[in-house]
Amino acid sequence: MNLKTFRIGLVLAGIFCASGALWSQTQPSTAAERLEGFSARKSIQENTWLKDVKPVSIGPSVFSCRVTDVDVNPSDPTEFLVAYASGGLWHTKSNGTRFEPIFDQEASMTIGDIAVDWKSQTIWVGTGESNSSRSSYAGTGVYQSTDMGKTWTYKGLPESHHIARIILHPTDPSTVWVSVLGHLYSPNPERGVYKTIDGGATWEKTLFVNDHSGGIDLCLDPFDPTIIYAATWDRTRAAWDFSGAGTGSDIYKSTDGGSNWTKITGEKRGFPDTEFVGRIGICAGKLNGKTVLYASLDNQTPVKKEEKDEKKGLTKDDLRNISKEDFLALKEEDLTAYLKDNNFPKKYTAKKVRELVQSGKIKPQALVEYLEDANSSLFNADYVGAEVYRSDDGGESWYKTHDNALDGINFTYGYYFSTVYCNPENADQVYLLGFYVVSSEDGGKHWKSINGDNVHVDHHVLWVNPDRPGHLINGNDGGLNISWDNGESWMKANNPPVGQFYAVQVDAAETYNVYGGTQDNGVWVGSSRYRASDSWHQTGRYPYESILGGDGMQIEVDTRDNKIVYTGFQFGNYFRINRESGNRKFITPKHELGERPLRFNWQTPIHLSRHNQDILYIGANKLYRSFNRGDKWEAISNDLTAGGKKGNVPYGTLTSIHESPLRFGLLYTGSDDGMVYRSKDGGGEWKAINAGLPENLWVSRIQASSHEKSRVYLSLNGYRFDDFRAYLYVSEDYGDTWTSIGTNLPAEPINVVLEDPANPQVLYVGTDHGLYVSVDRGKAFHTLSASFPAVAVHDVVLQTAAKELVIGTHGRSIYKVSVEHIQALTPEILAKAIHLFKVEEIDYSSSWGKNPTWGEVRIPTRTIWAYSGEDRSADWTVETEEGTLVQSGTWEMNQGLNSMDYHYELDESKKKNYEKAIRSTQKKGDKPFEMKPAENGKYYLPAGTYVLHVKSGDQSTSTELVVE
């Protein structure tokens, strides 16, 4: 696979839409529904039973994720803000060595663009990134902070979904322009360019093209803020097809502050104006006292592939219409070369293929069809690609700056970037962002790559310091890079843990490892004990290790030895990897000659049988099973989807597989087009079980119960139809009938549902805005502590021995949280008014309370956990076993789980009574017992057994506190 084809595969996979696409039978969610969902989420947070259950981030951060914008303090460029596609907004005052998140709890964390008035400390955030990829989440409008992110005010445009640019007036803080791209999966009229003159209290839409062409870029004339340029982009998307160009892609100019607009593109002006005009980026700069305007264009005009001077060997076109007789007359060496060049399985020799054609079992055209899947029209197409145009007269005329083609910048997915920047004070210094970042010092005539060491590919934003030549800050799919020498060298500034994980998994090692597949950054593994630190710079060994490239997908681990890992990258390319030896084998099953190519989802599902870990399942449009760890495969079903749709992205694919942990061969599958199937006999017979469910929706997860053979859980996701409702179901009869659960969940698409393996009452649900937990089998759901960001949760897995839930987020890397006390919320515990859980013993140390020369005082701590059936104020006491009081206090409890950190202190006021009680037990002649304070002035309990009592009204509960 060449680099071009590989990169197309990495990103294209799910860029989905088509002109005139058929939309779902469900209607897109309204902005009102989504904002009501946000209110519902806030209400659940306020009333959650799990306020004290606090997940901790376990990274990683080194590879970061897609950056969508950077805004730098012009008076101090070591202070800047970084916006991530799905990881929120982060602030640094230390040139990127440390960051603080400042946009974690609004209605949406996805960001398209930011703009900052540094003098007034005012930040504007436009939510919803403009990159139309498979996980480009929809925003909810515009937000403003006037205190550098401490508090936020909603400023409207709720139907915008995806905001490409925000421009602030240079002298009037009340005037703001916003470029709205609009909905991603459905047409809508709330697109174009908006203007406010009252600080966002009201907005006026001043530029509109049509219901599927929105604003993609804006820039001001550097000499006159009443002159504004806007670019629009015509693009449509569905789950099965994508069109990234059209007649609605143009550049407009306003000379009255954005109230009225004139189109300034077209063949007469020297700028393409056809159905093949794709995404456009624009920028303006100064040169010799005049304005220079640049436009980057994703030109999707098809071009014929260059013919070779001398034709060598058979091609697909040769075989596409060949007759049986002419085929049988082909030279054997030519047919052998064709089979080898196109990577046919070795079993298909020229002799074998001839026999199949001779017998009529296949037609010659099968040798073409075997190679052509839903992506082939994209992979085999050539387009003009990236171009840069320049205007020196305000858009009256344009000319292409370069004679040579800018190969390798856009490939066939220029929709993903196509942005251009120039030095504001020297417009001849220009930069083009695409797959690579390239620069020109002569106004775009000649270009060179500055995509150096430590720089990822797929570039989205560049800040050019007008006051310090060569100082650049670049945002790409691999995070943030800073250069001080105009791209000759770069440093990384990837401190924030903002990885976009698709899937997570754990092994069974004593200190277990966490595995995860990420967007555009491969598959990684690291210790569950990871804590963020820069100490690895000294050793040169980062705590997480990359084990596969591409876009990392699902992972399974053979826990018999924790050495064998099954994982892959997009579109079903899976491997068996021995982490100890480093050996890896490609194991993806192939279709048979005469069959159409298999359809693999972007995130192809795999499942390792818990009954026998030599048995592996993988889903294409059929389900495949291997009894020997992927060496050989057998299709154990026919097509388990609705059959696919015509388009340029695989559709009609399996998205979820699960085998009952209670019964071998009880299998369930779900597809991207809403089909759900069950087999009770290991794939011998299959039954569709989606009757009565909403149609056409993506099956995000199906899971057979660990507690009841007949029970199965199902989540559906309408995101790819702009349907943001929550769809969650349970069946008690193997899927024959379904019951809706989770009715208090907010309007947020669900990505995963997991039943707790220890407590059948506990369910975990990950949505596009967080993690929810039910302790009553889905009747009601609760959130974790408010410190957990409102980020998309794509996957969760429970490490049973550690009793820890690992949370894979798409924007904030991986979290883990102890669920020991959630699992303990059995119906018997929930029936109590108040209950204290067992407390882990603690080892006494003479170092308690010592004041070190450097560092913090060591304070003994155990977290006390309790359940309360209602909000209450309780009194607590700690006594010796004999009943001597050593400490007391008040505990304000909320309904649900409550925690209190206890530090094993003896109240000084109770010191004399405690000493007296101890002395009464001493032998005659012993030195009288006397408590001495630690260096911090506190008295700490010596070794012994103590009893914690908690009482509220006539309700009480107790537990032991043991100091060894």
Side-chain angles (χ1 to χ4, degrees):
M1 181 183 294
N2 61 39
L3 176 63
K4 176 175 177 179
T5 301
F6 180 69
R7 286 301 308 169
I8 293 169
L10 293 194
V11 183
L12 264 176
I15 329 170
F16 320 122
C17 225
S19 187
L22 296 174
W23 307 109
S24 170
Q25 294 182 3
T26 63
Q27 293 297 312
S29 300
T30 65
E33 286 178 297
R34 298 184 67 210
L35 292 176
E36 286 171 8
F38 175 51
S39 296
R41 186 205 316 162
K42 287 300 200 183
S43 177
I44 294 172
Q45 284 180 332
E46 291 169 2
N47 298 290
T48 181
W49 287 14
L50 308 176
K51 282 187 175 72
D52 290 353
V53 181
K54 299 176 181 179
V56 295
S57 173
I58 57 170
S61 63
V62 68
F63 54 80
S64 191
C65 79
R66 187 162 64 249
V67 173
T68 54
D69 200 18
V70 175
D71 206 300
V72 183
N73 185 343
S75 63
D76 178 10
T78 65
E79 179 184 15
F80 51 87
L81 296 174
V82 183
Y84 295 91
S86 56
L89 182 63
W90 294 70
H91 182 204
T92 180
K93 293 183 178 180
S94 60
N95 202 38
T97 60
R98 289 290 181 270
F99 287 87
E100 177 188 3
I102 59 173
F103 195 73
D104 276 8
Q105 297 298 335
E106 302 309 315
S108 52
M109 280 180 60
T110 172
I111 299 178
D113 197 53
I114 58 174
V116 185
D117 182 341
W118 289 94
K119 291 181 180 179
S120 66
Q121 300 283 282
T122 298
I123 309 171
W124 290 81
V125 171
T127 57
E129 67 163 321
S130 58
N131 300 310
S132 301
S133 59
R134 78 216 131 267
S135 57
S136 293
Y137 292 104
T140 47
V142 178
Y143 295 79
Q144 182 197 60
S145 172
T146 57
D147 53 14
M148 215 56 195
K150 293 182 178 65
T151 59
W152 293 92
T153 302
Y154 182 57
K155 289 294 183 177
L157 300 183
E159 288 287 7
S160 56
H161 280 208
H162 299 273
I163 291 177
R165 194 73 70 215
I166 297 180
I167 300 292
L168 307 183
H169 193 286
T171 59
D172 178 8
S174 296
T175 298
V176 180
W177 299 272
V178 177
S179 184
V180 173
L181 186 54
H183 293 192
L184 186 52
Y185 290 100
S186 58
N188 75 302
E190 297 89 355
R191 306 173 186 262
V193 174
Y194 286 79
K195 178 182 179 180
T196 179
I197 57 174
D198 53 16
T202 61
W203 295 90
E204 180 186 5
K205 182 171 64 175
T206 62
L207 176 61
F208 173 72
V209 178
N210 57 50
D211 282 359
H212 50 82
S213 299
I216 189 61
D217 211 347
L218 281 174
C219 70
L220 295 180
D221 186 289
F223 295 103
D224 185 354
T226 66
I227 299 176
I228 310 171
Y229 300 94
T232 59
W233 182 25
D234 189 328
R235 63 95 170 91
T236 50
R237 171 178 169 169
W240 52 90
D241 196 58
F242 174 74
S243 174
T247 56
S249 299
D250 285 299
I251 303 175
Y252 293 82
K253 180 179 181 179
S254 173
T255 57
D256 58 4
S259 296
N260 297 283
W261 299 87
T262 301
K263 180 178 169 181
I264 59 171
T265 46
E267 296 296 340
K268 291 182 179 180
R269 293 179 184 256
F271 196 95
D273 185 20
T274 71
E275 64 194 277
F276 300 113
V277 175
R279 179 169 173 170
I280 299 171
I282 54 176
C283 71
K286 300 175 183 178
L287 189 67
N288 300 323
K290 294 183 179 180
T291 296
V292 173
L293 185 65
Y294 287 100
S296 59
L297 170 62
D298 174 31
N299 190 338
Q300 295 189 18
T301 302
V303 295
K304 291 183 179 180
K305 290 188 175 183
E306 294 183 7
E307 295 290 337
K308 294 182 179 180
D309 292 336
E310 183 180 350
K311 183 178 176 182
K312 295 181 180 180
L314 288 172
T315 68
K316 288 193 293 183
D317 287 339
D318 292 333
L319 299 177
R320 202 174 297 277
N321 297 304
I322 196 172
S323 68
K324 177 179 179 180
E325 291 74 19
D326 289 343
F327 178 83
L328 295 174
L330 292 173
K331 294 180 180 179
E332 183 171 337
E333 56 266 30
D334 289 343
L335 184 54
T336 297
Y338 176 86
L339 296 171
K340 182 179 180 180
D341 291 344
N342 289 284
N343 296 314
F344 278 74
K346 292 181 180 180
K347 65 180 180 179
Y348 293 121
T349 63
K351 180 179 179 182
K352 178 65 175 178
V353 170
R354 283 178 182 276
E355 291 174 355
L356 292 172
V357 172
Q358 179 72 53
S359 65
K361 292 182 179 179
I362 65 169
K363 296 179 179 179
Q365 286 69 40
L367 294 173
V368 178
E369 294 171 352
Y370 187 87
L371 302 172
E372 294 187 337
D373 60 17
N375 281 324
S376 61
S377 60
L378 286 171
F379 292 167
N380 296 330
D382 271 358
Y383 301 114
V384 171
E387 294 181 322
V388 176
Y389 289 81
R390 172 169 168 163
S391 175
D392 299 314
D393 54 13
E396 292 298 316
S397 63
W398 297 86
Y399 63 93
K400 191 167 70 170
T401 66
H402 48 98
D403 295 325
N404 296 328
L406 299 176
D407 291 332
I409 300 298
N410 281 14
F411 297 127
T412 58
Y413 54 101
Y415 76 92
Y416 197 52
F417 11 70
S418 193
T419 49
V420 63
Y421 295 86
C422 67
N423 188 320
E425 301 299 326
N426 175 17
D428 270 345
Q429 190 175 61
V430 59
Y431 304 85
L432 178 64
L433 274 60
F435 178 68
Y436 298 114
V437 54
V438 296
S439 69
S440 171
E441 299 291 331
D442 56 9
K445 295 178 184 177
H446 303 91
W447 298 87
K448 71 172 184 177
S449 172
I450 56 173
N451 213 103
D453 293 341
N454 296 315
V455 182
H456 200 278
V457 292
D458 294 348
H459 299 270
H460 305 287
V461 64
L462 185 74
W463 178 77
V464 182
N465 191 335
D467 301 319
R468 204 290 193 178
H471 182 200
L472 308 174
I473 301 181
N474 169 237
N476 51 63
D477 270 18
L480 201 70
N481 292 95
I482 301 174
S483 176
W484 297 91
D485 53 13
N486 205 34
E488 292 296 323
S489 62
W490 297 88
M491 58 170 280
K492 278 190 179 295
N494 283 354
N495 181 267
V498 289
Q500 294 177 303
F501 280 83
Y502 286 115
V504 289
Q505 189 54 271
V506 295
D507 61 21
E510 185 174 351
T511 298
Y512 72 92
N513 296 297
V514 177
Y515 303 74
T518 67
Q519 159 64 26
D520 210 18
N521 284 285
V523 181
W524 293 73
V525 57
S527 170
S528 59
R529 292 184 179 176
Y530 169 90
R531 292 294 182 274
S533 168
D534 292 335
S535 61
W536 67 274
H537 291 178
Q538 186 73 12
T539 65
R541 185 174 180 85
Y542 190 67
Y544 276 79
E545 170 194 357
S546 174
I547 58 175
L548 193 69
D551 288 77
M553 294 299 159
Q554 295 189 8
I555 310 102
E556 289 282 16
V557 183
D558 188 333
T559 56
R560 293 173 295 190
D561 59 11
N562 301 308
K563 297 176 184 176
I564 302 298
V565 176
Y566 302 89
T567 190
F569 59 85
Q570 64 278 10
F571 294 132
N573 292 284
Y574 273 84
F575 299 81
R576 185 179 71 234
I577 301 172
N578 186 316
R579 289 191 59 217
E580 184 175 73
S581 67
N583 293 333
R584 63 183 58 196
K585 180 179 180 180
F586 183 70
I587 59 170
T588 300
K590 290 283 189 180
H591 56 294
E592 297 295 325
L593 189 59
E595 295 179 333
R596 296 296 300 186
L598 297 172
R599 299 189 298 273
F600 289 101
N601 192 266
W602 170 260
Q603 187 183 156
T604 293
I606 60 173
H607 180 72
L608 191 64
S609 177
R610 273 38 177 183
H611 303 281
N612 179 344
Q613 293 188 70
D614 286 337
I615 300 176
L616 181 66
Y617 300 94
I618 189 170
N621 50 307
K622 303 175 181 180
L623 183 64
Y624 282 79
R625 180 180 59 206
S626 171
F627 284 113
N628 52 11
R629 307 187 306 161
D631 285 336
K632 293 183 179 179
W633 293 95
E634 174 191 10
I636 58 172
S637 76
N638 294 318
D639 196 326
L640 296 176
T641 77
K645 286 180 179 288
K646 186 178 181 180
N648 54 27
V649 174
Y651 186 71
T653 65
L654 295 184
T655 53
S656 186
I657 305 166
H658 201 234
E659 180 183 49
S660 168
L662 301 178
R663 178 176 167 183
F664 174 74
L666 175 54
L667 299 168
Y668 295 93
T669 66
S671 70
D672 56 10
D673 52 13
M675 298 302 296
V676 186
Y677 277 87
R678 177 200 70 216
S679 175
K680 292 183 177 180
D681 58 2
E685 294 184 3
W686 290 90
K687 178 183 179 180
I689 54 174
N690 50 287
L693 294 171
E695 296 182 355
N696 303 327
L697 297 182
W698 194 285
V699 177
S700 56
R701 200 61 55 103
I702 190 162
Q703 190 190 40
S705 171
S706 299
H707 303 279
E708 295 288 341
K709 286 182 182 179
S710 60
R711 184 177 298 158
V712 58
Y713 292 94
L714 174 73
S715 61
L716 305 177
N717 188 306
Y719 160 78
R720 292 158 187 84
F721 295 105
D722 284 334
D723 177 355
F724 301 97
R725 303 168 185 94
Y727 297 97
L728 185 64
Y729 302 89
V730 66
S731 173
E732 300 292 344
D733 54 10
Y734 300 97
D736 287 337
T737 59
W738 296 96
T739 301
S740 177
I741 58 175
T743 54
N744 79 316
L745 285 169
E748 299 171 2
I750 296 177
N751 302 308
V752 57
V753 55
L754 174 70
E755 178 196 57
D756 191 284
N759 185 340
Q761 302 297 313
V762 176
L763 299 177
Y764 308 97
V765 165
T767 76
D768 279 357
H769 296 289
L771 182 74
Y772 297 85
V773 183
S774 174
V775 296
D776 55 11
R777 288 196 47 233
K779 293 177 183 177
F781 277 87
H782 305 270
T783 62
L784 302 182
S785 75
S787 62
F788 188 71
V791 66
V793 172
H794 269 225
D795 199 13
V796 291
V797 61
L798 205 147
Q799 216 288 343
T800 54
K803 298 183 179 180
E804 291 181 339
L805 185 74
V806 174
I807 307 166
T809 78
H810 201 77
R812 293 299 276 273
S813 290
I814 303 174
Y815 285 77
K816 73 172 184 179
V817 62
S818 172
V819 295
E820 177 182 359
H821 298 100
I822 295 176
Q823 290 179 326
L825 292 177
T826 62
E828 293 75 21
I829 297 296
L830 294 174
K832 296 182 178 181
I834 187 172
H835 175 79
L836 275 172
F837 294 99
K838 183 179 179 180
V839 181
E840 183 184 356
E841 298 172 354
I842 192 169
D843 291 331
Y844 177 81
S845 173
S846 59
S847 66
W848 288 356
K850 280 191 174 181
N851 293 317
T853 303
W854 306 104
E856 297 180 353
V857 177
R858 182 181 177 188
I859 305 295
T861 303
R862 282 287 183 265
T863 301
I864 313 297
W865 285 92
Y867 167 75
S868 176
E870 61 184 36
D871 294 348
R872 68 176 76 243
S873 180
D875 296 319
W876 62 268
T877 60
V878 176
E879 301 174 351
T880 65
E881 285 186 296
E882 292 76 22
T884 301
L885 182 65
V886 298
Q887 197 173 16
S888 62
T890 302
W891 193 349
E892 298 300 327
M893 290 184 163
N894 298 306
Q895 184 180 19
L897 283 176
N898 295 265
S899 68
M900 176 180 69
D901 285 341
Y902 181 64
H903 301 303
Y904 295 86
E905 293 180 18
L906 170 68
D907 282 351
E908 189 170 2
S909 63
K910 300 173 177 60
K911 173 176 173 288
K912 288 184 179 180
N913 285 340
Y914 177 71
E915 289 174 334
K916 183 179 179 181
I918 297 298
R919 288 170 185 165
S920 68
T921 65
Q922 288 184 296
K923 295 178 181 179
K924 190 174 181 180
D926 287 349
K927 183 179 179 180
F929 175 79
E930 181 181 0
M931 289 286 290
K932 292 184 179 181
E935 289 183 2
N936 65 349
K938 303 286 186 181
Y939 293 90
Y940 292 103
L941 297 177
T945 299
Y946 304 85
V947 182
L948 170 66
H949 301 281
V950 176
K951 185 177 182 180
S952 176
D954 58 355
Q955 303 293 329
S956 63
T957 181
S958 302
T959 193
E960 286 188 341
L961 300 175
V962 177
V963 181
E964 290 287 355

